[in-house]
Amino acid sequence: MSVTYDDSVGVEVSSDSFWEVGNYKRTVKRIEDGHRLCSDLMNCLHERARIEKAYAQQLTEWARRWRQLVDKGPQYGTVEKAWVAVMSEAEKVSELHLEVKASLMNEDFEKIKNWQKEAFHKQMMGGFKETKEAEDGFRKAQKPWAKKLKEVEAAKKAYHAACKEEKLAISRETNSKADPSLNPEQLKKLQDKVEKCKQDVLKTKEKYEKSLKELGQGTPQYMEGMEQVFEQCQQFEEKRLRFFREVLLEVQKHLDLSNVASYKNIYRDLEQSIKVADAVEDLRWFRANHGPGMSMNWPQFEEWSADLNRTLSRREKKKTADGVTLTGINQTGEQALQNKPSSVSSYEKTQSYPTDWSDDESNNPFSSTDANGDSNPFDEDTPSGTEVRVRALYDYEGQEHDELSFKAGDELTKIEDEDEQGWCKGRLDNGQVGLYPANYVEAIQ
């Protein structure tokens, strides 16, 4: 069972290295980013499919209207046939673009959606199984080393404090020799204090060196454990990168209608741009900038000095004024908000496409529902007719007058299903009706 810990509190940040306590969270976050990127890629293809469909319909309407005008007009003979051939070209191109729309939605869109479901497994309490496994693996590998690091910092602080106390005691003894008002007994006490401080310095120094040695002995095992978990995350990310490259190449083939030089040049450039994508190079960059390839300021023994102590004191005062940065702190507050599902703006949710975009194809992916019951983004917005009680997973503050505001755990009633932009209409228990992001709530069983 995973146990939440926060051993990094009080540990001074020396670098932004992967090896610092808590800095593995960037690698863990990459898993959730991968899921979001799958959704972004689906939305990208969704919008392109709409454009292809609209263009095809506009070509068909243009060809029909001008064919009638030419047939009824004064033009005749072979020139008339040549003119009509222009409309035939538009009708054929329209058919090709409808095929592009179908390929994007029936093949590419569905392939990404299915891969996303297979690669990322949602948990009952929110988040993904893969994220939790990576988080637990890093915590388990880091916890013993983080505990020893905390002991090193405490030992160093105690040693430096003893050195400071010794210097103060020696200064008092030196000054007392020049004070004739002090009796021998008082001088003896000052001398004893100096001797005691020297003993404290030796003890704290020995403890500091011992804890630093133990930390060094545990570092190889710490690095091995962290590297092992990191490589597992790299392998998971490699699958996504290679899959994206594969899908994008398939998209390129579906979009390529080139029969003329200009089209060939455009899609040749597109293919070359996609083929430049290299999963190995991406992984190498991430490793060098956010992984084990980063440099690390490993803790080393630091001798105490008065000048260093004054510098540290000034730096600590500045941190108090400017704010202190800690690493390894459990994700709360604003960091938790960053991991919430994204929602579209009020401007975006009000945008709609022309009504002439719909068609009556029985197998059209713009109006069908998949076997798992997931609604297709091309379904028309229609009230469900059934009210459902839902519970908020996250806090949401309405940005417009027609949006609802609620806190995580609040219950409300969904009165209309999710629209194309990911919004639902609901009613709070106080009677207020408005819109809210669909992925901020879950149905109450």
Side-chain angles (χ1 to χ4, degrees), residues 175-187 190:
N175 294 335
S176 67
K177 292 179 181 180
D179 189 354
S181 63
L182 295 178
N183 55 47
E185 182 178 353
Q186 291 174 323
L187 292 174
L190 292 174

Side-chain angles (χ1 to χ4, degrees), residues 160 164 304-314:
H160 288 183
K164 180 179 179 180
W304 179 90
S305 68
D307 294 338
L308 175 63
N309 189 66
R310 287 194 294 270
T311 302
L312 292 175
S313 298
R314 288 195 296 270

Side-chain angles (χ1 to χ4, degrees), residues 208-443:
Y208 181 20
E209 292 174 336
K210 181 181 178 181
S211 61
L212 195 59
K213 182 180 179 181
E214 291 177 352
L215 179 67
Q217 292 173 345
T219 297
Q221 183 178 359
Y222 162 61
M223 295 179 67
E224 181 181 355
M226 293 290 286
E227 179 102 16
Q228 182 178 0
V229 181
F230 182 83
E231 286 304 320
Q232 293 173 356
C233 294
Q234 289 284 80
Q235 293 173 10
F236 184 82
E237 176 69 0
E238 182 180 14
K239 292 179 182 179
R240 186 191 68 80
L241 292 173
R242 293 188 182 277
F243 173 73
F244 269 39
R245 183 180 186 274
E246 176 187 344
V247 170
L248 288 173
L249 283 174
E250 292 182 6
V251 170
Q252 179 268 325
K253 293 177 182 178
H254 293 149
L255 294 176
D256 190 356
L257 304 178
S258 58
N259 285 316
V260 296
S262 60
Y263 266 53
K264 290 181 180 180
N265 292 335
I266 292 173
Y267 289 105
R268 185 183 301 114
D269 293 343
L270 175 60
E271 182 176 6
Q272 292 302 320
S273 297
I274 295 176
K275 286 187 175 179
V276 169
D278 186 352
V280 174
E281 182 63 26
D282 291 346
L283 295 173
R284 185 184 297 113
W285 178 90
F286 189 92
R287 179 188 183 89
N289 290 274
H290 299 296
M294 299 180 70
S295 60
M296 172 65 178
N297 185 13
W298 298 107
Q300 297 180 357
F301 181 82
E302 300 173 22
E303 187 59 69
W304 179 90
S305 68
D307 294 338
L308 175 63
N309 189 66
R310 287 194 294 270
T311 302
L312 292 175
S313 298
R314 288 195 296 270
R315 186 170 60 189
E316 290 172 356
K317 290 180 180 179
K318 183 178 180 181
K319 285 186 177 181
T320 304
D322 297 342
V324 180
T325 302
L326 300 178
T327 62
I329 299 177
N330 290 325
Q331 191 171 335
T332 58
E334 294 181 356
Q335 288 181 329
L337 292 176
Q338 295 175 359
N339 290 329
K340 286 185 179 180
S342 61
S343 61
V344 297
S345 66
S346 297
Y347 171 79
E348 291 171 333
K349 75 181 182 187
T350 59
Q351 303 305 301
S352 61
Y353 292 96
T355 56
D356 61 354
W357 283 32
S358 63
D359 56 39
D360 298 328
E361 298 177 68
S362 59
N363 61 346
N364 193 301
F366 290 69
S367 59
S368 63
T369 303
D370 63 15
N372 295 328
D374 295 335
S375 61
N376 193 287
F378 280 70
D379 290 343
E380 297 295 334
D381 294 336
T382 55
S384 64
T386 303
E387 296 186 350
V388 179
R389 291 291 289 177
V390 296
R391 180 183 294 108
L393 296 172
Y394 317 97
D395 295 349
Y396 182 73
E397 187 69 23
Q399 304 298 313
E400 302 290 345
H401 64 86
D402 61 341
E403 297 179 15
L404 298 179
S405 298
F406 45 75
K407 299 291 186 180
D410 290 351
E411 296 183 3
L412 58 151
T413 301
K414 182 179 73 172
I415 60 178
E416 285 187 15
D417 290 337
E418 179 181 356
D419 62 13
E420 296 171 349
Q421 284 76 37
W423 292 81
C424 287
K425 179 176 287 187
R427 181 176 63 248
L428 300 178
D429 291 342
N430 62 7
Q432 182 183 357
V433 176
L435 301 174
Y436 63 90
N439 54 0
Y440 271 55
V441 303
E442 66 177 359

